[in-house]
Structures are given as C-alpha cells and as structure tokens.
Amino acid sequence: MTRIVQICPVGFEFHRILEGVRIHPSNVLYLLRSFKKEVKKGDPDAKLIEIANNYVEKLYDHFKQSNTFTEVHVRDTRIISYTEAIRELCEIIKRELDMGDVETIYINTSTSNKLFVSVAMYVGSFFPGIIKLFYLRSSRYTINHILDEDMDKEEIKKIFTELGMTYKKEGETYQNIDIPVYPIQILSNENQIILKTLNEMIDEDNDWITFMNLLARMGEKEKDKTIKMKYSHHIKKLKQQILLEEKVHGRQKSYKLTEAGKILGLIYSYFHLDKPHVSR
C-alpha cells in the first residue's frame, strides 16, 4: 500500500490536528509530543505539560479508533531545540523513504512553534517532490477571550484545557494554506562526505579536526599529494559557503564546522543525495 504520511507537532492544539487530517487525508500519522527530560516538583510548566500530554492521548485514541490510519506513532521530541528537531524530522523521513512506498509526507506547521516551522521548511527543501507543508488559519483563538470582560476565567480555562490555543464551532472550518518548498542546491558527493565526516568527528572539548585526520577518517591516503589537492579544492568551496572554518599552525591545517555546517553535516549523515529528491 502506498504510504501517505502526516507529521503533526501537537503543542497546544487539538482541532487543528483533526482538521489537518481531514483536509489532507493520510494513512500514516506521527504525533510529535514536546518532550522535557525532567519535570521537577513545583515546575511552572508542569500543568501545561499535563494539558499538552492530554491532547496527545486524546488524539492518539481518536485516530486509533477511526480505522483511517494503518499506523499511528507518538514520538517524544525536543521541539525547542533546532538540532533535535532537525534530527527528529530526518529520522522520520529516512524511516519512510526506507519503506520504499511513500508517496507524500505532509507536515502540519500550524500546530507548533516558529522554530519547528523553520526546521520543516529547511529539511523539506531537500525533498520538494515528496514533502508538502501546510498551515491552517483559525478565526477563533482562546487567548482572545482573556480580553472579554463578560467571560469567566474558569470558562476560558475549560476551553483551553479541552481544545487548546485555537478551536472551531460546529459547521466551521480552518482555512488551509499550502506552503511552497523550494529545492535546495545539493552539494557534491565529496563535499557531503567532508561535512558528514567532520560532524561525526566533533568532540565536545575540541571542534578542530586536522586535515590529515580528516583524510584518514574518510579512508583516503592522507600522504598522497593528489588526494590532498583534490580535497583541498573541495574544502575551499565549503569555506566560501561559510560551512567550515580553517586554522593554520605551521604546515598543519585544521578545520571545524560552522553552525550551518553542523546542521548540513547532520542532515547528510541521514541522507546521501545526488540530486533533489523528486516524486515518482
């Protein structure tokens, strides 16, 4: 069976997820639950975490009972971390691509924070033929009730607890906005390997990697002048793209990834791409 996937960060939304699935029918669903490693007693976020977890549980039960989905997954994700959100999306996408029969991967960008939206747009740019982003615009926001002097605080609390930040009444709908994904320029095979290898070699105490150690890690003959010239050429291009930095000490050169280089290195550790991935 062809897999039509939908990825939904849950956050503080309920109806937006239901509507996303209605507008973009899918048969494989990933619910991303914002994960906090430790919730201490008295943590001011404890109540919000409980409410968000309740949304996830209600949604999971609803979709499992609907017979619409062949698979429903709940994944704990640190959505407030750019690197962890990149890693999470890459893991899901790789899993689906490895299945071999994925047709479309929808990502609901209206149910999470701005950081995750930027992650979805960036990762999506590597697979513009498969990944489709959408946003659902609501006309009812729970926070607006705070300014309504005639509305009781407990009533507002009840709406938020049950429905989240946005909601709709019977007969209403959300407006769907499709977000275009623009293809990214794929790096050469050698540059992908350099970034991936440097990312693997990063040490918490020392981000600088010598040229000789880099070549050895890639399985190249580090003393071969032809090899050294070849990779020096590719490294020069990566420096021009501000993906890595160079430090020279005597005759020895060392390199470390910029923040942009680390992200690309992480992505290429999941995918080796010869050209932008297009739909079949």
Side-chain angles (χ1 to χ4, degrees), residues 215-232:
L215 293 175
R217 180 64 173 264
M218 292 190 298
E220 300 285 0
K221 297 177 180 178
E222 63 267 29
K223 294 184 180 180
D224 187 312
K225 289 184 179 181
T226 303
I227 293 294
K228 292 168 74 173
M229 287 179 62
K230 171 186 173 182
Y231 281 98
S232 291

Side-chain angles (χ1 to χ4, degrees), residues 6 27 33 35 41 52 54 58 89 105 120 123 131 142 146 152-153 160 216 233 242 251:
Q6 189 158 157
N27 55 28
R33 175 169 50 198
F35 176 67
K41 187 176 181 180
N54 285 338
K58 286 197 300 181
L89 270 187
I105 299 177
V123 175
I131 294 181
T142 308
I146 295 175
D152 182 70
K153 178 182 176 182
F160 178 73
H233 168 75
I242 319 178
R251 299 180 64 182

Side-chain angles (χ1 to χ4, degrees), residues 108-127:
N108 189 338
T109 67
S110 57
T111 60
S112 187
N113 57 29
K114 295 180 179 65
L115 185 68
F116 185 85
V117 174
S118 68
V119 166
M121 294 185 71
Y122 188 52
V123 175
S125 67
F126 287 83
F127 306 93

Side-chain angles (χ1 to χ4, degrees), residues 115-208:
L115 185 68
F116 185 85
V117 174
S118 68
V119 166
M121 294 185 71
Y122 188 52
V123 175
S125 67
F126 287 83
F127 306 93
I130 289 179
I131 294 181
K132 301 185 185 302
L133 277 54
F134 67 90
Y135 177 88
L136 299 181
R137 191 168 73 185
S138 173
S139 59
R140 295 184 183 272
Y141 288 85
T142 308
I143 194 171
N144 290 345
H145 295 315
I146 295 175
L147 303 176
D148 188 345
E149 297 179 357
D150 297 328
M151 203 160 191
D152 182 70
K153 178 182 176 182
E154 288 302 314
E155 187 178 353
I156 299 172
K157 180 180 176 181
K158 183 175 184 292
I159 293 173
F160 178 73
T161 302
E162 293 182 358
L163 303 176
M165 295 177 64
T166 69
Y167 65 99
K168 69 181 186 68
K169 291 188 176 180
E170 188 174 351
E172 295 179 340
T173 186
Y174 287 77
Q175 180 184 352
N176 178 76
I177 302 171
D178 293 322
I179 302 174
V181 176
Y182 300 98
I184 197 168
Q185 182 179 358
I186 301 300
L187 298 181
S188 68
N189 177 63
E190 291 82 1
N191 285 351
Q192 289 185 45
I193 293 172
I194 290 170
L195 291 181
K196 175 185 173 181
T197 305
L198 283 173
N199 190 64
E200 292 172 350
M201 295 177 74
I202 287 175
D203 184 275
E204 290 184 3
D205 299 321
N206 183 21
D207 287 346
W208 291 98

Side-chain angles (χ1 to χ4, degrees), residues 96-107:
E96 290 301 323
L97 292 178
D98 287 347
M99 299 290 284
D101 51 4
V102 61
E103 179 180 292
T104 304
I105 299 177
Y106 291 109
I107 302 179

Side-chain angles (χ1 to χ4, degrees), residues 82 86 90 122-123 125-126 184-187 191-197 199 238 241-244 257-271 273:
Y82 190 74
I86 289 271
C90 286
Y122 188 52
V123 175
S125 67
F126 287 83
I184 197 168
Q185 182 179 358
I186 301 300
L187 298 181
N191 285 351
Q192 289 185 45
I193 293 172
I194 290 170
L195 291 181
K196 175 185 173 181
T197 305
N199 190 64
L238 292 173
Q241 296 176 56
I242 319 178
L243 295 174
L244 56 76
L257 295 173
T258 62
E259 289 305 309
K262 289 178 183 178
I263 294 300
L264 263 182
L266 175 61
I267 292 172
Y268 284 128
S269 71
Y270 285 94
F271 313 106
L273 303 171

